[in-house]
Amino acid sequence: MVAFGVLGLVAAFSARRPRTGAVGTGLSWAGRMTMTCYVLQNLIFSVIFYDFGLGLIGKLPAEWNTWSTLTVYVGVALFLVFGSGLRLRRFSRGP
């Protein structure tokens, strides 16, 4: 249900804007590399949060788990969007 809500918000955002702007451009970059971003997101989060990697979730106090997770998520999302933009300068789509 959350995915459908996000999809609806993105569609409404895109339909109401006469030009794409920075947010629309970033979303289009990530959209052309959707599968790559999905796989990289899972790999990056696994390395950051699980014990076989950095084990961040076990090292932080329990009351920080929500905010640390959100902060890391925003950082990884921005990394993936800008990384997609860099890759798309050379190639038309993701691998």
Side-chain angles (χ1 to χ4, degrees):
M1 294 307 292
V2 172
F4 287 124
V6 170
L7 180 62
L9 286 174
V10 170
F13 173 80
S14 297
R16 291 191 176 129
R17 296 199 46 132
R19 58 187 181 87
T20 58
V23 174
T25 301
L27 289 174
S28 71
W29 291 342
R32 288 192 298 190
M33 293 191 47
T34 303
M35 188 63 175
T36 302
C37 288
Y38 174 73
V39 171
L40 280 175
Q41 171 186 308
N42 288 326
L43 288 173
I44 291 169
F45 284 138
S46 295
V47 168
I48 291 173
F49 288 112
Y50 288 126
D51 289 334
F52 61 82
L54 299 175
L56 182 65
I57 211 70
K59 294 178 182 174
L60 295 173
E63 60 270 4
W64 290 11
N65 284 345
T66 302
W67 291 109
S68 63
T69 302
L70 288 173
T71 303
V72 171
Y73 174 76
V74 169
V76 170
L78 290 173
F79 170 76
L80 290 173
V81 167
F82 289 116
S84 296
L86 291 174
R87 167 139 172 103
L88 291 172
R89 286 183 180 184
R90 183 167 178 162
F91 303 101
S92 63
R93 298 199 183 274

